[in-house]
Amino acid sequence: MLLTLLNTVIFALSFLIVISALVFFHELGHYSVARFFKVAIERFSIGFGRPLLRWTARSGTEWAVGAIPLGGYVKFVGDAGAASNPDQKRLDEIRSKLEASDQAVNIEDCFHFKPLWQRTLIVLAGPVANFILAIAIFWGLAMGIGTREVQSIVLEVQPDSAAEAAGVEAGDRFLTLDGRDVSRSTDLITYVSLRSDVDMIAEIERDGEIINLPITPQRLERRDFIGGKNKVGTIGVVIGGEGAITTRRYGLGSGLVYGVNEVGRTISATGTYIGRIFTGQEDGKALGGVVRIATLTGKTAVDTAQLEVPWGERFKFMALNLLGLSAALSIGLGVANLMPIPVLDGGHLLYYGYEAIAGRPLDEQKQEVGFRIGFAVLLTLLVILTVNDIGYIRSLSS
């Protein structure tokens, strides 16, 4: 009973800490750029609903921690509900309201009266902050503990696999796939997993010679790092063996380059997967929502806490594992918010694009229709992602 209670606390705390940190940095991006442009800010909130904690800074901004820790927001002075890009009529109403109020705010400090390029940068700053956070985490981990790199050397070819059909042999070293460097196992796995049923040419080193083999990854069910099942592209090889594993340490500059490259690689992989969904090549079940995030963070922490090592080592491994996972989740949060759906940051940027082309904001009624459609789309996505998450959770015990 005590162990179950402890695991439940670890599960819940790890999720709350990770999700709150990611939301905080996202909103801090909006907040910091807004403050740089001297925008008046009413509230910075982590979480929604009734505030559990709140305090007012010297700037006049109220900082709050909401009861529902599943998001956050920055509320600018003059915000008129969801439509943060009101048309000229609404702008005039906001101006009149501010002039008649007792708020010590200059009209020029209102977000809605800032130049288009400043509003664009403020909105864009949230997702960018998530990408910067991920770079910083990868950078720090690369410098602090280095990276464990496994060369794409074939230890074993599984029977009835794509690799066996292609003529791959134990001892072969994968160099490229369709010209893409896959000499590291992480690059090989990522590239293959996103290209099931796609014909490709593998450049392989065998006994000092370079050969080219045609290979087509199969779409099969595989378990991820916490035991959940997903259908991914696979060629059916076991990578490793003597001399395949190396540990690399990074300096200040090389660590930064590594961090930027890792974020770029992850964004590229995410874009490829989403593109394959729209072309019917993927079913989208690998996409998850809050429930899956909680499962990933919670189970990672609980599994680490059960290692047979001293508690100090457990906490160290737990922190490192959650940091690495947080970097990936931060990238996902940034990409998700850039989707061109009204209500999300990408939707605001879509409206700003119209304003830049037309020379005026989209009228408020049309914006409101867009926000309602966007809200409906988000609710639909929430249902789909929740169904995906339930199936994923079930796969953990099957």
Side-chain angles (χ1 to χ4, degrees), residues 68-86:
I68 306 174
L70 298 178
Y73 61 92
V74 174
K75 186 175 186 296
F76 304 116
V77 170
D79 271 1
S84 63
N85 294 323

Side-chain angles (χ1 to χ4, degrees), residues 284-365:
K285 291 185 178 180
L287 296 177
V290 173
V291 176
R292 189 173 306 200
I293 292 175
T295 303
L296 290 171
T297 55
K299 195 170 187 306
T300 296
V302 170
D303 289 349
T304 307
Q306 293 175 348
L307 293 175
E308 296 296 329
V309 295
W311 273 103
E313 291 295 305
R314 296 188 204 186
F315 283 123
K316 175 184 175 181
F317 292 148
M318 188 185 301
L320 292 174
N321 289 338
L322 288 177
L323 273 174
L325 181 56
S326 295
L329 292 174
S330 188
I331 297 169
L333 180 60
V335 171
N337 270 278
L338 285 175
M339 294 175 64
I341 300 175
V343 179
L344 298 179
D345 293 332
H348 292 295
L349 294 174
L350 185 65
Y351 283 163
Y352 291 162
Y354 172 87
E355 184 177 343
I357 295 172
R360 57 181 174 78
L362 187 66
D363 71 72
E364 188 180 19
Q365 289 185 343

Side-chain angles (χ1 to χ4, degrees), residues 220-292:
L220 299 174
E221 199 168 63
R222 291 290 184 264
R223 291 191 181 275
D224 61 19
F225 67 99
I226 66 167
K229 292 180 180 178
N230 290 297
K231 286 188 175 181
V232 298
T234 179
I235 56 176
V237 295
V238 177
I239 298 297
E242 185 177 353
I245 303 174
T246 59
T247 300
R248 181 180 175 184
R249 293 276 183 173
Y250 292 80
L252 191 64
S254 60
L256 176 58
V257 172
Y258 170 80
V260 172
N261 288 339
E262 285 298 295
V263 171
R265 185 175 64 85
T266 304
I267 292 175
S268 176
T270 303
T272 299
Y273 183 75
I274 293 174
R276 284 173 59 86
I277 292 175
F278 282 105
T279 57
Q281 296 171 291
E282 299 284 352
D283 56 18
K285 291 185 178 180
L287 296 177
V290 173
V291 176
R292 189 173 306 200

Side-chain angles (χ1 to χ4, degrees), residues 48-66:
F48 301 108
R50 182 176 60 85
L52 300 177
L53 294 171
R54 68 169 109 187
W55 63 96
T56 302
R58 290 183 179 179
S59 62
T61 301
E62 180 185 74
W63 292 70
V65 177

Side-chain angles (χ1 to χ4, degrees), residues 152 166 168 173-195 198-204 211-217 233-235 237:
S152 299
V168 177
R173 182 171 184 263
F174 279 86
L175 302 176
T176 67
L177 286 174
D178 286 342
R180 179 72 64 89
D181 182 9
V182 293
S183 57
R184 294 190 313 166
S185 64
T186 51
D187 295 326
L188 175 65
I189 293 169
T190 300
Y191 193 83
V192 167
S193 66
L194 294 171
R195 289 167 177 82
V198 175
D199 297 334
M200 56 183 70
I201 299 297
E203 184 182 64
I204 289 174
I211 62 174
N212 293 312
L213 298 176
I215 190 167
T216 305
T234 179
I235 56 176
V237 295

